[in-house]
């Protein structure tokens, strides 16, 4: 049984296989209706249970549509309509759902909840987002980079803004695929040192600086995210600290001429990124969003043992 709580649960060979599979499946579906299953329907008869303790658009739709395209079905639980919201334990939820569905995806706050779910489940568990990491998003990001002609080893990735869960998974990916990350972040908002050291041990160069220009200079990829994540307090103070890290045209001009801009969405245009960049020719944010479907499908196939790596 294969859980996917972080990228390291799969490893480089498996993630490379996911990227190849996602590209092939995406190409094979060109021009098809979104609801038409893939020709092979590899997950026919399988059910994915999805637990949402945080709001979602891309994670919810991409897993739902992706599972249907693979021939399977989904069901959704949230804290307002399930017994989780009335105090039923994660452990009991895991054991019950394991008798009723074939895999579980959870989108929550505390990463320990995903870990506890995986400990007690007898079916694969997928991290759809926690405060610690967002591995499914990064598989889609890597797919987008490759689609736009970026070879991962040696790539220069600039991150501007908050040292959050998305950055943590980018750093984990950097160590796996040997690309470099320049993190431009205000003091006090740095990424967890665990992920910085993980990337460095894997052979990536990681620079953490409070100078946004230094981070963006010569980058192949420029990435940002919303400055205030769901449930965070003291938004006013945080936004003020983040203001110098806005991705503007001047910032993109510091990157390479063929650099691409990524954002996992939802975006607050005018805060972390200007409209000129978000809607500009270097932005690939909607390719990135679409690629969530193809990435989730390959993650699901890996969890079910139907993908190499």
């Amino acid at each position: 049984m294969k859980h996917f709580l972080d990228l390291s649960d799969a490893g480089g060979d498996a993630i490379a296989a996911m990227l190849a599979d996602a590209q092939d499946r995406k190409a094979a579906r060109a021009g098809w209706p979104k609801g038409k299953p893939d020709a092979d329907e590899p997950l026919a008869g399988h059910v994915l249970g999805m637990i949402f303790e945080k709001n979602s658009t891309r994670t919810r739709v991409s897993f739902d549509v992706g599972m249907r395209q693979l021939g399977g079905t989904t069901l959704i639980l949230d804290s307002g309509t399930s017994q989780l919201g009335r105090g039923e334990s994660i452990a009991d939820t895991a054991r019950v759902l394991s008798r009723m569905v074939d895999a579980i995806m959870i989108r929550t706050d505390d990463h320990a909840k995903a870990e506890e779910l995986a400990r007690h489940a007898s079916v694969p568990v997928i991290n759809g987002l926690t405060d610690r990491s967002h591995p499914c998003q990064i598989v889609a990001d890597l797919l987008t980079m490759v689609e736009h002609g970026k070879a991962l080893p040696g790539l220069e990735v600039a991150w501007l803004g908050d040292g959050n869960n998305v950055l943590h998974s980018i750093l984990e990916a950097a160590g796996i695929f040997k690309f470099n990350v320049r993190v431009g972040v205000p003091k006090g908002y740095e990424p967890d040192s665990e992920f910085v050291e993980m990337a460095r041990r894997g052979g990536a160069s990681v620079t953490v600086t409070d100078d946004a220009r230094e981070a963006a200079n010569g980058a192949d990829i420029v990435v940002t995210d919303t400055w205030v994540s769901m449930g965070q307090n003291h938004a006013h103070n945080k936004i003020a600290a983040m203001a110098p890290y806005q991705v503007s045209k001047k910032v993109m001009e510091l990157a390479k001429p063929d650099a691409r801009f990524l954002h996992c969405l939802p975006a607050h245009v005018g805060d972390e990124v200007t409209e000129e960049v978000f809607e500009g020719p270097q932005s690939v944010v909607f390719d990135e969003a679409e690629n969530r479907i193809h990435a989730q499908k390959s993650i699901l196939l890996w969890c079910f043992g139907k993908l190499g790596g």
Side-chain angles (χ1 to χ4, degrees):
M1 182 172 55
K2 299 176 179 179
H3 299 306
F4 189 70
L5 303 187
D6 281 307
L7 297 174
S8 57
D9 290 334
D13 289 345
I15 297 170
M18 291 177 197
L19 297 177
D21 178 75
Q23 287 180 289
D24 290 345
R25 288 183 179 276
K26 182 177 181 179
R29 291 191 60 83
W32 284 18
K34 302 298 189 294
K36 182 177 179 179
D38 289 0
D40 55 349
E41 296 190 57
L43 295 186
H46 291 70
V47 180
L48 172 67
M50 301 190 291
I51 299 172
F52 289 95
E53 294 192 321
K54 281 194 169 186
N55 294 343
S56 174
T57 298
R58 279 149 295 276
T59 298
R60 178 171 178 164
V61 175
S62 60
F63 268 110
D64 194 332
V65 173
M67 192 67 180
R68 295 184 196 197
Q69 290 181 359
L70 293 172
T73 57
T74 65
L75 60 86
I76 294 172
L77 300 91
D78 60 55
S79 57
T81 58
S82 72
Q83 295 297 338
L84 275 171
R86 300 184 63 201
E88 184 166 19
S89 70
I90 293 286
D92 287 357
T93 299
R95 289 180 287 187
V96 169
L97 289 183
S98 294
R99 305 287 185 100
M100 298 181 176
V101 303
D102 300 292
I104 304 168
M105 188 281 297
I106 183 168
R107 182 177 170 92
T108 188
D109 46 14
D110 188 355
H111 192 78
K113 292 181 182 179
E115 293 177 323
E116 184 176 5
L117 192 69
R119 278 198 304 273
H120 294 279
S122 55
V123 298
V125 173
I126 298 170
N127 170 10
L129 173 141
T130 68
D131 290 348
R132 167 188 164 89
S133 61
H134 199 353
C136 293
Q137 176 65 54
I138 302 314
V139 176
D141 288 1
L142 297 175
L143 175 59
T144 307
M145 294 176 196
V146 170
E147 278 187 340
H148 284 269
K150 307 298 183 183
L152 298 178
L155 198 68
E156 297 292 335
V157 175
W159 172 275
L160 298 178
D162 188 22
N164 65 10
N165 53 353
V166 177
L167 174 57
H168 288 164
S169 291
I170 287 176
L171 289 167
E172 188 173 19
I176 293 171
F177 289 102
K178 309 293 189 292
F179 60 82
N180 305 317
V181 185
R182 274 85 62 72
V183 180
V185 59
K187 293 187 184 301
Y189 295 97
E190 296 87 352
D192 192 319
S193 60
E194 171 193 352
F195 288 93
V196 173
E197 293 308 314
M198 186 186 304
R200 288 172 175 163
R201 285 197 303 272
S205 170
V206 180
T207 302
V208 180
T209 176
D210 61 1
D211 185 338
R213 294 177 61 87
E214 178 186 356
N217 189 46
D220 297 292
I221 300 288
V222 178
V223 194
T224 192
D225 192 6
T226 181
W227 289 338
V228 181
S229 298
M230 287 178 284
Q232 288 186 334
N233 298 319
H234 310 296
H236 179 75
N237 292 338
K238 189 172 187 182
I239 289 172
M242 294 290 163
Y245 301 87
Q246 181 187 67
V247 181
S248 64
K249 181 180 178 181
K250 289 184 177 180
V251 168
M252 290 302 297
E253 286 173 347
L254 294 169
K256 292 178 182 176
D258 63 346
R260 294 292 182 263
F261 170 73
L262 272 65
H263 189 309
C264 68
L265 306 180
H268 296 80
V269 176
D271 286 343
E272 68 267 15
V273 60
T274 63
E275 183 174 9
E276 186 175 23
V277 171
F278 187 79
E279 300 290 354
Q282 291 174 286
S283 175
V284 293
V285 297
F286 294 107
D287 290 348
E288 181 185 6
E290 178 193 344
N291 281 339
R292 290 293 302 276
I293 294 176
H294 310 294
Q296 319 301 36
K297 288 165 67 174
S298 298
I299 291 165
L300 284 161
L301 290 172
W302 178 80
C303 287
F304 283 111
K306 296 178 180 290
L307 188 71

